Amino acid sequence: APAKKAYADNLEGWIGESLEILRAKGIPASYDGIKRNIMRESTGNPRAINDWDINAVNGVPSKGLLQMIDPTFKAYHVEGTSWDIYDPVANITAACNYAADKYGSMDNVNSAY
């Protein structure tokens, strides 16, 4: 079997690994669309948590690079990724799966989603 590609443990690597999984699953997204949304949502902090918006008030704060709430992360989790919402690749991949379902692609998301 071919060796698994190694990715850097940083934003570029997380996006690259996620894009490989997304392509294999037929989920549309681009590097630029993912990075733009990550920078707006968490400035690249995989441990980011929103403790002030309506989701937080309702007890389900948005978490991770793309600020997902737990129920959405679970519903759009992509097989082969971690079930940890703070795992950067799992968070990106699930968020892109959600965005593809709701907006056609993460590339079409230009504000909180």
Side-chain angles (χ1 to χ4, degrees):
K4 184 177 189 249
K5 184 172 179 183
Y7 290 94
D9 187 20
N10 60 27
L11 188 56
E12 184 173 317
W14 302 328
I15 294 171
E17 185 173 352
S18 182
L19 280 169
E20 183 176 321
I21 295 164
L22 292 165
R23 283 188 203 107
K25 303 286 185 182
I27 301 167
S30 74
Y31 181 92
D32 291 340
I34 294 169
K35 186 168 184 185
R36 172 174 38 84
N37 281 286
I38 286 172
M39 296 314 291
R40 184 188 64 254
E41 293 291 335
S42 68
T43 62
N45 176 3
R47 304 293 303 175
I49 187 162
N50 180 319
D51 60 4
W52 57 267
D53 73 0
I54 189 63
N55 291 318
V57 170
N58 290 334
V60 285
S62 304
K63 301 172 183 174
L65 287 173
L66 282 162
Q67 292 293 283
M68 298 192 78
I69 60 173
D70 288 320
T72 304
F73 176 77
K74 288 175 182 154
Y76 287 91
H77 174 264
V78 176
E79 185 179 339
T81 65
S82 168
W83 282 95
D84 178 359
I85 196 168
Y86 292 107
D87 177 277
V89 173
N91 189 280
I92 293 167
T93 308
C96 288
N97 192 24
Y98 170 80
D101 183 48
K102 300 297 180 191
Y103 307 101
S105 171
M106 182 60 78
D107 298 351
N108 298 331
V109 177
N110 296 302
S111 64
Y113 57 105

